[in-house]
């Protein structure tokens, strides 16, 4: 599976996506741990981010210092580790 900026480069003209997509390889069952890391990194979850993460496997956040949006992808328990690695490639 190819997502985010990687998909834009592969299927269209390279362009600035104005956000950062990151796949951590943890499932929604570890959302609490992920939120702790988000806060420790100085990121701010978007309003309703927890519900979005549980429904869509993406935790939308922002870096308030730079104004850059940061989307943290979680993984579906049905996906194995190899699939998550492929998402990052």
């Amino acid at each position: 599976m190819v997502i985010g900026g990687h998909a834009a480069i592969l299927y269209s003209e390279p362009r600035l996506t104005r956000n950062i997509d990151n796949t951590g390889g943890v499932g929604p069952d570890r959302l609490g741990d992920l939120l702790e890391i988000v806060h420790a990194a100085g990121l701010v979850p978007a309003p309703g981010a927890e519900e979005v993460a549980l429904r869509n496997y993406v935790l939308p956040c922002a870096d308030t210092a730079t104004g850059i949006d940061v989307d943290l992808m979680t993984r579906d328990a049905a996906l194995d580790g190899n699939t998550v690695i492929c998402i990052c490639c």
Side-chain angles (χ1 to χ4, degrees):
M1 179 184 314
V2 182
I3 59 173
H6 297 290
I9 292 168
L10 183 63
Y11 295 111
S12 66
E13 293 294 318
R15 64 180 178 86
L16 178 64
T17 59
R18 294 187 175 86
N19 75 338
I20 297 171
D21 297 324
N22 187 0
T23 303
V26 299
D29 57 322
R30 305 250 336 258
L31 184 57
D33 295 332
L34 187 56
L35 285 168
E36 286 182 25
I37 293 167
V38 162
H39 291 295
L43 300 175
V44 178
E50 291 181 47
E51 293 80 17
V52 172
L54 293 173
R55 184 178 62 246
N56 299 331
Y57 305 104
V58 177
L59 181 67
C61 301
D63 180 345
T64 56
T66 63
I68 295 174
D69 290 332
V70 179
D71 294 330
L72 302 172
M73 279 43 134
T74 63
R75 66 173 172 80
D76 184 336
L79 299 177
D80 63 21
N82 293 328
T83 305
V84 172
I85 291 169
C86 290
I87 290 172
C88 296
C89 299

